[in-house]
Amino acid sequence: MTFDAVRGRSSEGWASRTPSIVDRITSHTDGRIPFSVEFSPPRDAEAEARLWRAVRTFERLGPAFVSMTYGAGGSTRDRTVRVTGELAEETTLLPVAHLTAVSHSIDELRSMVGAYADRGISNILVLRGDPPGDPLGEWKKHPDGVEYAEELVRMVRDLGDFHVGVASFPEGHYRAPDLAHDTKYLVAKLRAGAEYSITQMFFDVDDYLRLRDRVSAFDAEQGAKPIIPEIMPVTSLGSVRRMLELSGSSLPPALERRFDAAAGNGAQENRAAVRELGIDLATEMGERLIAEGAPCLHFITLNFARATSEVLERLGLTSEASTGTAAAR
Ligand SMILES: Cc1cc2nc3c(=O)[nH]c(=O)nc-3n(C[C@H](O)[C@H](O)[C@H](O)COP(=O)(O)OP(=O)(O)OC[C@H]3O[C@@H](n4cnc5c(N)ncnc54)[C@H](O)[C@@H]3O)c2cc1C
């Protein structure tokens, strides 16, 4: 099957060759909640080797799916497409490709979707993305691009038999004036054809539960679609703070105090103590989310396997002792 970026669809049509994420997480039959992991495109050969070590570790642990983020403005576009394609072709994992609208015309976006389809990838997480350079800066649509993720959901759905997910925000998106606005446009993305959403990382499970309630109250049909919570096992306070800042978010004050106490007053944070607290916290969040009926637990890995593997083992989501071979983090 080859892709025609102008017509947007091959003459054969794009039949789905892979299961959808919703099928995968709802057909999980071993009685345990499924889990999934997020990878990021590696920047160089060394980072790529590290990613593959994590990939092989997770392959043994059996995630329902793995997702690959997309760099702001497509800075690592070719490598991202290649590596995501390799995940589809050379592993037993089910990949979800993130796709963002930043700095791309509609033709370029179509051609990206085509590149994924050519590699057998039909699960796409559709995002607007943030302005390159300063993610919190003014959003400027590409002159021939899309303004909101909702339009991209429609575009991808129109291109063929793709399974689309979108982003959701337990604390509300930082550009949304209030939670009602945030809910309205999340529901618009679901009505446009998204089959599920994955949340931004959060640290207060009540925020996730309130998001779920808001969506169900706004539209019961869309509220029945899975909202997959994203968990970050914190191993470095500095890097999680930076990630939160870039997404217009922050740690809850009580947790900030606990992490500060663990990090200590030295010039360098006490990584071991921060990591221990981070793993405990991710485990506690996972336990509560399982009890509250979350459909799947999605872990940010930063391309390291060890911290997430530890949390999975503590939650009893894997029976395999895996950390011995995982990258040291
Ligand atoms: C799970 C997850 C994965 C992510 N992966 C990536 C990634 O790989 N690469 C990357 O660069 N970024 C990624 N992001 C970040 C994401 O791109 C940003 O959070 C971005 O700011 C919002 O994207 P969105 O798709 O939610 O945008 P949209 O749904 O378009 O929403 C953007 C803002 O506009 C508002 N809005 C939406 N529609 C309308 C409308 N019709 N009228 C008025 N207001 C509207 C929304 O309320 C929101 O405030 C990810 C986020 C999450 C949660």
Side-chain angles (χ1 to χ4, degrees), residues 223-237:
K225 293 181 175 174
I227 300 180
I228 300 174
E230 184 172 69
I231 299 177
M232 165 94 187
V234 174
T235 55
S236 153
L237 189 50

Side-chain angles (χ1 to χ4, degrees), residues 103-134:
S103 311
H104 288 319
S105 67
I106 286 178
D107 280 352
E108 286 165 350
L109 289 164
R110 284 179 164 178
S111 124
M112 285 284 298
V113 176
Y116 284 128
D118 283 344
R119 287 162 180 80
I121 296 166
S122 62
N123 285 291
I124 313 259
L125 190 74
V126 163
L127 306 139
R128 179 166 93 165
D130 292 309
D134 175 10

Side-chain angles (χ1 to χ4, degrees), residues 211-231:
L211 166 70
R212 213 168 60 172
D213 290 348
R214 276 197 303 278
V215 178
S216 292
F218 193 92
D219 182 329
E221 190 184 337
Q222 303 308 324
K225 293 181 175 174
I227 300 180
I228 300 174
E230 184 172 69
I231 299 177

Side-chain angles (χ1 to χ4, degrees), residues 204-282:
D204 183 346
V205 173
D206 286 339
D207 286 332
Y208 168 81
L209 300 177
R210 283 190 282 260
L211 166 70
R212 213 168 60 172
D213 290 348
R214 276 197 303 278
V215 178
S216 292
F218 193 92
D219 182 329
E221 190 184 337
Q222 303 308 324
K225 293 181 175 174
I227 300 180
I228 300 174
E230 184 172 69
I231 299 177
M232 165 94 187
V234 174
T235 55
S236 153
L237 189 50
S239 68
V240 81
R241 276 209 177 106
R242 177 86 189 126
M243 285 173 75
L244 286 165
E245 236 172 73
L246 292 175
S247 62
S249 193
S250 59
L251 283 169
L255 198 55
E256 177 112 40
R257 284 193 292 276
R258 283 176 72 192
F259 270 117
D260 279 341
N265 297 322
Q268 292 210 321
E269 71 178 58
N270 181 342
R271 288 287 291 263
V274 167
R275 184 181 189 283
E276 197 183 325
L277 176 58
I279 304 276
D280 284 350
L281 183 71

